[in-house]
C-alpha cells in the first residue's frame, strides 16, 4: 500500500532510539500517523517540527498498518513561529484541536484553513480572527456546528448579537434583551461566511475575547467534557498572550 500527499505536522513522538512517530494533517487522507526511520537525526529532525508543511510518501504492507513516512520539506515554518510566545501557543493549541479529528477522516477545509492560519499567527488581529473561524469550522466538522445565520426566536437575520448556550443558535437584540445576562456575545465578524473573511480583517480586543468565550464554551460542552479530554492549556496561554498584544496595539 502506498500514497503520496502534502501534510502539516501536528505532532511527533520518539519511537525507539532513532525513529519518530509523525502525526500530520493531510487534505484527502485526514489526520494520519506513520513512522519516520531516522527521524531524530540532524538531517531529518528540523523538518519534523510542528507547523511545517511537507510532501509525504506513506507505505505499508496493509492499509490498516501504521506504515512508514518518507518526507520532503515544502515550507519550514517552525523556526519562524517559535519567535513569539503568541505564535507558539497558537500553534500548540491548533495542533491539539486537530488531534480531536478521527484518524484518516478527510477534512480538506480544515487543512487549507490551518495552512493559511500558520502564515498569519504573527499578526495578533488577523491570526485571532482566523483561529476563531477555524474553531467554528472544527465544531461544524465534528457535528456540532453553530447556526449563526438567523434568530432562533424570530427567524430574522438582523441585529444578531447573541448566541443561545443551550441551542448554539443566534439570537437577535429584540428577542434576547430580557435574557442578555444568560446569552453569549456574538461578534460581528463571526457572522460572515468563512469565504468572506478577509485575511486583512481587523478585530477589537472585545470581539476577540467574546469570540474565544463563544467557541470555547461549545468546544468544552460538546467535545472536551463528554469525552473526558483534558482542556488544552496552550489555548488559554494563547488568549492570555493575545490580550497583552491587543492592549499594546493602538486601535
Amino acid at each position: 500500500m502506498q500514497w503520496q500527499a502534502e501534510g502539516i505536522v501536528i505532532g511527533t513522538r520518539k519511537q525507539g532510539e532513532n525513529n519518530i512517530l509523525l502525526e500530520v494533517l493531510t487534505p484527502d487522507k485526514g489526520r494520519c500517523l506513520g513512522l519516520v526511520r531516522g527521524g531524530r537525526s540532524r538531517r531529518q529532525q528540523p523538518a519534523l517540527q510542528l507547523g511545517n508543511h511537507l510532501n509525504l510518501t506513506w507505505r505499508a504492507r496493509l492499509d490498516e498498518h501504521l506504515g512508514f513516512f518518507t518526507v520532503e520539506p515544502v515550507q519550514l515554518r517552525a523556526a519562524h513561529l517559535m519567535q513569539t510566545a503568541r505564535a507558539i501557543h497558537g500553534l500548540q493549541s491548533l495542533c491539539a484541536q486537530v488531534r480531536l479529528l478521527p484518524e484518516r477522516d478527510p477534512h480538506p477545509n480544515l487543512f487549507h484553513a490551518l495552512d493559511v492560519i500558520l502564515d498569519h499567527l504573527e499578526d495578533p488581529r488577523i491570526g485571532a480572527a482566523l483561529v476563531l473561524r477555524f474553531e467554528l469550522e472544527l465544531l461544524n466538522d465534528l457535528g456540532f456546528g453553530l447556526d449563526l445565520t438567523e434568530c432562533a426566536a424570530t427567524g430574522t437575520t438582523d441585529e444578531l448579537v447573541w448566541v443561545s448556550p443551550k441551542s448554539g443558535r443566534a439570537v437577535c437584540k429584540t428577542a434576547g434583551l430580557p435574557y442578555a445576562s444568560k446569552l453569549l456575545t456574538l461578534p460581528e465578524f463571526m457572522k460572515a461566511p468563512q469565504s468572506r473573511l478577509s485575511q486583512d480583517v481587523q478585530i477589537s480586543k472585545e470581539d476577540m475575547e467574546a469570540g474565544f468565550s463563544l467557541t470555547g464554551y461549545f468546544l468544552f460542552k460538546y467535545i472536551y467534557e463528554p469525552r473526558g479530554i483534558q482542556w488544552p492549556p496552550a489555548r488559554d496561554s494563547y488568549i492570555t498572550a493575545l490580550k497583552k498584544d491587543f492592549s499594546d496595539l493602538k486601535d
Side-chain angles (χ1 to χ4, degrees), residues 39-58:
R40 298 180 64 187
S41 67
R42 287 185 180 181
R43 184 179 67 85
Q44 294 207 74
Q45 202 166 26
L48 306 180
Q49 304 298 314
L50 293 186
N52 283 345
H53 195 138
L54 309 173
N55 277 332
L56 305 157
T57 300
W58 180 89

